[in-house]
């Protein structure tokens, strides 16, 4: 396995220049350059330091396991203990280190989600079908089929279906 090309790929994914990575790891830019072209080999301690800055660790770096790309409809995980008329499914289960949670939410006419208290991260929703009312700190917003919404999780918020037909929403929450 070529360490250098894998480190370079991780560095570029983070948007770091060789100089920035070197500064964050307390190494020289020339060392990073030589490492990426497989001209030098780092000590385990140096490699761990570089990987920590790049957001990974030795176990994941050397893992040959293919990350899951496709998540089938029949693999969705239902969320239980929801209010009457609310159905929610987690779209991607058993994904390590994910930075967001994606769900499909179905609201029967008149149904609403439980009010969610303050939390870190942001939320995004896309109305696939029907229409919803989004309540943020008591203020009502209306979103129709094809509309989307985005807000910070530092507020009390919930969704309600005011219509006579089922509403379906793709709901994404960042996990920061």
């Amino acid at each position: 396995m070529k360490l250098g090309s894998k480190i370079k790929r991780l560095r570029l994914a983070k948007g770091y220049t060789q100089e920035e990575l070197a500064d964050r790891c307390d190494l020289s830019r020339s060392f990073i350059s030589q490492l990426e072209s497989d001209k030098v080999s780092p000590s385990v301690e140096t490699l761990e330091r570089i990987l920590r800055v790049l957001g990974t660790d030795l176990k994941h770096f050397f893992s040959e396991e293919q990350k899951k790309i496709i998540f089938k409809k029949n693999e969705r995980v239902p969320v239980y203990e929801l209010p009457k008329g609310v159905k929610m499914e987690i779209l991607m289960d058993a994904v390590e280190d994910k930075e967001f949670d994606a769900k499909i939410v179905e609201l029967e006419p008149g149904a609403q989600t439980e009010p969610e208290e303050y939390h870190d991260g942001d939320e995004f929703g896309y109305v696939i079908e029907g229409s919803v009312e989004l309540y943020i700190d008591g203020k009502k917003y209306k979103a129709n089929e094809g509309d989307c919404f985005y807000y910070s999780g530092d507020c009390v918020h919930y969704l309600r279906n005011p219509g006579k037909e089922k509403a379906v929403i793709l709901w994404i929450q960042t996990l920061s």
Side-chain angles (χ1 to χ4, degrees):
M1 173 195 309
K2 299 271 186 185
L3 293 180
S5 59
K6 204 166 180 183
I7 288 172
K8 181 177 182 177
R9 189 179 64 207
L10 289 171
R11 174 181 62 78
L12 293 173
K14 284 285 191 184
Y16 296 154
T17 64
Q18 287 181 342
E19 184 78 31
E20 290 170 322
L21 178 59
D23 288 346
R24 292 170 188 262
C25 297
D26 198 27
L27 299 166
S28 70
R29 192 209 56 79
S30 63
F31 179 80
I32 298 296
S33 176
Q34 291 176 344
L35 176 61
E36 288 183 356
S37 42
D38 290 311
K39 293 181 180 166
V40 295
S41 294
S43 67
V44 172
E45 179 183 322
T46 300
L47 181 58
E48 284 180 321
R49 188 170 6 146
I50 292 168
L51 294 179
R52 197 170 28 255
V53 168
L54 294 174
T56 190
D57 57 26
L58 288 172
K59 176 185 171 195
H60 289 96
F61 184 75
F62 287 108
S63 173
E64 294 296 325
E65 186 176 305
Q66 175 67 35
K67 291 186 178 181
K68 188 168 182 167
I69 304 294
I70 303 295
F71 298 84
K72 300 289 190 178
K73 185 177 180 178
N74 65 355
E75 296 172 333
R76 294 179 185 169
V77 177
V79 177
Y80 297 102
E81 297 184 26
L82 295 170
K84 183 174 173 61
V86 178
K87 177 183 175 188
M88 192 178 303
E89 294 178 317
I90 299 170
L91 298 178
M92 302 178 311
D93 190 38
V95 177
E96 282 189 43
D97 303 327
K98 67 181 175 179
E99 296 182 11
F100 65 91
D101 230 353
K103 300 175 182 121
I104 289 287
V105 179
E106 295 181 9
L107 296 171
E108 294 298 328
Q112 73 179 43
T113 61
E114 290 286 334
E116 197 171 338
E117 294 294 325
Y118 313 106
H119 60 78
D120 286 337
D122 297 331
E123 304 217 9
F124 168 85
Y126 175 77
V127 183
I128 298 170
E129 189 179 308
S131 63
V132 294
E133 293 172 342
L134 170 63
Y135 290 83
I136 298 178
D137 285 337
K139 187 170 181 184
K140 177 173 66 171
Y141 301 87
K142 182 148 173 117
N144 296 313
E145 187 173 313
D147 293 341
C148 59
F149 52 85
Y150 173 83
Y151 56 91
S152 174
D154 62 355
C155 56
V156 177
H157 51 277
Y158 65 94
L159 289 176
R160 181 178 174 279
N161 179 356
K164 297 184 186 320
E165 311 230 344
K166 176 171 68 172
V168 180
I169 302 97
L170 170 63
W171 199 340
I172 298 173
Q173 178 182 2
T174 62
L175 302 172
S176 55

